[in-house]
Amino acid sequence: MSDDDGELPKAVDSRRRTRWSGIVGLTLGRWWRRATRTTTGRIVSTVAAVALTIALLVVITGVALALADGGVTTGDDADVRVIPEDSGTLSSVNGVEGPRLGETNERAATIRAQDGVDHASPVLVETAQLEASDAEPRTVRLVGVVPDEEPRTVAGLPTGELEAGDPHYANGSYDGPREGEIVLSPTAAERLDADAGDDIPVSIGGAGETERVDTAAPSVTVTVAAVADEGSGTGDAPVALVHLSELQSYSGGDDGQLADRLLIWGETEAAQSAASGAYPTAAVEVAGGTDPSALFDDGLAFATSVIALLVGVTICASFVATTMGMTVNEDRRTLAVLESVGFPTHSQLAVVAVSTGITTLVGSIAGVGLGMVGIVGVNAAANATVAPGAVAHFHPLLVPYAIGVALLSGLVAVPYPLAVAARTSVLEEVGR
Amino acid sequence: MSNQSVHGSRSSARDRADERESTAAVRLEGVTHEYGSTGGRFRSGDERTVTALRDVSFDVPEGMIVGLEGPSGSGKSTVLHAVAGLLVPTSGSVELRETDLAALSDSERTRVRRHHIGIVFQRFHLLPSLSARANVALPLVQSGVPRADRRARATALLEEVGLGDRTTHLPGELSGGERQRVAIARALSTDPDVIVADEPTGELDTATGADVLELLTDVGRDRAVLVASHDEATLEVADRVVTLCDGRVDDVR
């Protein structure tokens, strides 16, 4: 009395496929009607719980991505960025240097000569002490760039306020004339109580130093070329732009033409190709494309994302297990009816498992959407308050990641509703 | 699958019984069942044993409607569940076309039920979130029947039970009589050898109940039908009536 007695293997396979597609279709149809037509709203509340959890996961992972991608000093409008492998958040912590790119001035010049490349500039970030009007030293992050005639943004500041070019570099001799210009962020200007045209003594050293002048470094004076407008991408960060070679000279970075990154403007493909040619072993990032693998290189970002993952899976699995268990408990009669019309136990459990899977999947998709909105919201809130600039990044890989996490949660949760289903007594249910 | 119409002229149940062969589609032999005993898959969970059936034996021949009557607690439903393979009796045998259901595994009994037994419940037990057509097609899903064939078969059955214009309605949008007709159509979807009906008119008014009985009579022409009921009108359509009392066969007429 087998279903498959006398059937050819191909026919058996076809029947099996039809059966499973029928069970999935049946479950989908029931799920949809129950989600849209029942008044208890159990399915909807489960979907909402999953969605909120996944949205939280997406937002926190987005924040971790932003952490891994660097702080405000990466706020540029370049099309391609070249960064050393293994660079990370720690490299921007005062007094702790990460890996840097070498020969940057030369190679940037080579890159600029490529077709499709509009401009290329190494970027060096150094912490310095600038003397305020009250003669007290203030810590400011100096960002060295090579400006050109086009208005561009680096570290949230307009490079166009600096004289184009980098004459002090002088083909690597570092003996050309100094421009001595500096463009201050609003916060830096406020700290220094400086306006355009003011002269400010600078010493390269680092935050936390109590000495006004680092004796190991030359003390120079720069003139404020401009103060960026409020609303520039620097937010509350005390940042300032200077010419690259001058900063390299102040900081000792001229020995090896060091820079933290290299920015390229132009056609993406040409810029990428030029960047890869100049730095074959460095990481090449395309604008708007945060590299998710950076999470693994950054301890804080990695820990944040792992915690988000664990919390997400735990909360999501708990919600799904509890609510789906309650749903199945209310739905025992359906399982009894399925048994009475000839659905074996494994098919009944498949109905429950597929139903749980659909709930989780729909919740995760909604959660990704909510998470994207959340990231926009977090960035907007940060811009409006304490940390202007992108404090959370969205990456397309977050979509499969979030859905995968939700499905994993569903997998963790599914044994409970299955156990509830397996305890159903058909006689008790149909006899009621 | 048989193509007989479920509608047709209704002849006397006794006359039809005389015209048919008396091949037993279902045979119960010395069936005893104790709830709370180790026999059977579905137990009450109560440590006390309650004897629901005691040495029950009778046949349900093919093409015959057999009624089961008796007071509440007499064992009618237990007999139906045993015949439907939903329950394995503590002792005795329940044979469906000479296959002892008690000797089969759970999955084998489920398969037998899917292909050879149709069940009609007093409270219909339709899935509320499925349309009438999807409810009727439900047993065909597990049988691996392609979707188009399932829909065609379900639509044809609904037309046969007079619900051709209700195929997309949900159970909640149907009257009690219509729901029971859907349940009967569902029981017929796999063209089973045996129909088991537990108080099929118990939830219906007299006129609607009469319609459902007529339908059952029609579907019973080529099948064995076992109907449990308190209702005299229901038992009147039976070719034979088995009276149960305290789990024993008290009378067969």
Side-chain angles (χ1 to χ4, degrees), chain B residues 33-43 87-91:
Chain B
H33 187 69
E34 294 175 352
Y35 285 107
S37 68
T38 53
R41 176 182 169 193
F42 302 104
R43 290 184 290 154
L87 170 155
V88 177
T90 310
S91 64

Side-chain angles (χ1 to χ4, degrees), chain A residues 21-45:
Chain A
S21 69
I23 288 173
V24 171
L26 165 73
T27 312
L28 270 170
R30 283 193 68 233
W31 186 92
W32 178 247
R33 282 220 166 85
R34 297 181 76 202
T36 56
R37 296 198 184 186
T38 55
T39 53
T40 59
R42 183 93 66 201
I43 297 277
V44 173
S45 59

Side-chain angles (χ1 to χ4, degrees), chain B residues 4-252:
Chain B
Q4 95 285 357
S5 167
V6 292
H7 290 295
S9 62
R10 183 178 169 193
S11 58
S12 154
R14 301 287 176 196
D15 292 343
R16 279 189 285 112
D18 293 339
E19 292 166 6
R20 289 171 188 145
E21 294 180 12
S22 58
T23 310
V26 178
R27 172 166 290 145
L28 286 83
E29 194 70 51
V31 173
T32 295
H33 187 69
E34 294 175 352
Y35 285 107
S37 68
T38 53
R41 176 182 169 193
F42 302 104
R43 290 184 290 154
S44 66
D46 192 337
E47 290 306 312
R48 295 178 305 155
T49 59
V50 175
T51 304
L53 298 178
R54 300 165 198 268
D55 195 24
V56 170
S57 302
F58 66 87
D59 294 347
V60 184
E62 188 176 318
M64 187 178 279
I65 298 176
V66 171
L68 274 177
E69 69 168 354
S72 294
S74 59
K76 300 190 297 295
S77 293
T78 305
V79 169
L80 293 185
H81 293 154
V83 171
L86 294 171
L87 170 155
V88 177
T90 310
S91 64
S93 66
V94 179
E95 291 183 4
L96 179 77
R97 292 193 175 281
E98 300 182 348
T99 299
D100 185 2
L101 296 181
L104 302 178
S105 66
D106 280 351
S107 61
E108 287 169 332
R109 264 196 308 281
T110 302
R111 195 178 297 127
V112 167
R113 187 162 58 249
R114 180 161 68 244
H115 293 297
H116 302 282
I117 300 168
I119 307 177
V120 179
F121 297 103
Q122 177 180 355
R123 293 190 177 168
F124 328 127
H125 289 322
L126 302 175
L127 300 193
S129 52
L130 297 184
S131 67
R133 182 169 54 203
N135 266 288
V136 173
L138 195 57
L140 301 175
V141 171
Q142 184 61 35
S143 298
V145 177
R147 185 166 182 262
D149 295 348
R150 291 199 306 263
R151 289 168 70 95
R153 170 75 177 156
T155 303
L157 283 167
L158 284 170
E159 283 171 0
E160 286 187 28
V161 299
L163 294 174
D165 58 342
R166 296 280 195 275
T167 55
T168 58
H169 284 57
L170 295 176
E173 298 164 344
L174 301 173
S175 68
E178 288 172 332
R179 286 185 217 178
Q180 195 59 296
R181 283 168 176 271
V182 173
I184 291 172
R186 180 179 66 188
L188 292 171
S189 64
T190 56
D191 193 20
D193 301 312
V194 178
I195 296 284
V196 172
D198 192 1
E199 301 277 8
T201 59
E203 297 279 313
L204 307 176
D205 60 48
T206 308
T208 311
D211 289 342
V212 167
L213 288 176
E214 186 175 346
L215 191 56
L216 266 183
T217 308
D218 286 337
V219 304
R221 288 182 185 284
D222 294 336
R223 299 180 170 83
V225 179
L226 184 59
V227 184
S229 182
H230 289 102
D231 179 38
E232 274 304 315
T234 303
L235 295 171
E236 274 180 17
V237 304
D239 303 304
R240 181 187 297 166
V241 176
V242 176
T243 306
L244 294 173
C245 187
D246 294 334
R248 296 179 194 280
V249 175
D250 196 43
D251 184 30
V252 178

Side-chain angles (χ1 to χ4, degrees), chain A residues 67-82:
Chain A
L67 270 178
D69 196 42
V72 69
T73 49
T74 61
D76 58 65
D77 58 358
D79 298 299
V80 169
R81 302 182 189 95
V82 184

